[in-house]
């Protein structure tokens, strides 16, 4: 499989994680404490998804090398 889909998905999810992290900080600054935990959790989930996409890409490349 080509690199492009893996890279695009990984970058998009990491960018979303960054945006959600910034949103969580802004929510905390504006006093919306009840939403901060949910948004921060989703942000972390996006970073984990990006990392797992990279792991999948590496493992996919290994299986074709044999």
């Amino acid at each position: 499989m080509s690199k492009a889909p893996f890279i695009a998905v990984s970058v998009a999810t990491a960018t979303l994680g960054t945006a959600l992290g910034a949103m969580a900080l802004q929510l905390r600054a504006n006093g919306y404490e009840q939403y901060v935990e949910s948004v921060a959790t989703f942000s972390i989930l996006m970073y984990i998804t990006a990392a797992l996409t990279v792991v999948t890409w590496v493992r996919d490349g290994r299986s074709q090398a044999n």
Side-chain angles (χ1 to χ4, degrees), residues 14-15 22 26 41 43 53 56-57 59-61 66:
T15 303
Q26 189 65 38
T41 301
S43 173
T53 302
T56 303
W57 173 50
R59 293 193 64 182
D60 181 62
N66 290 337

Side-chain angles (χ1 to χ4, degrees), residues 6-62:
F6 289 109
I7 293 170
V9 168
S10 181
V11 168
T13 53
T15 303
L16 181 59
T18 302
L20 288 169
M23 182 180 174
L25 292 174
Q26 189 65 38
L27 286 171
R28 178 165 295 185
N30 290 339
Y32 293 101
E33 290 290 328
Q34 67 268 25
Y35 303 112
V36 171
E37 185 178 351
S38 298
V39 174
T41 301
F42 195 65
S43 173
I44 292 168
L45 181 64
M46 290 298 98
Y47 283 120
I48 292 170
T49 303
L52 289 176
T53 302
V54 171
V55 169
T56 303
W57 173 50
V58 169
R59 293 193 64 182
D60 181 62
R62 253 201 245 157

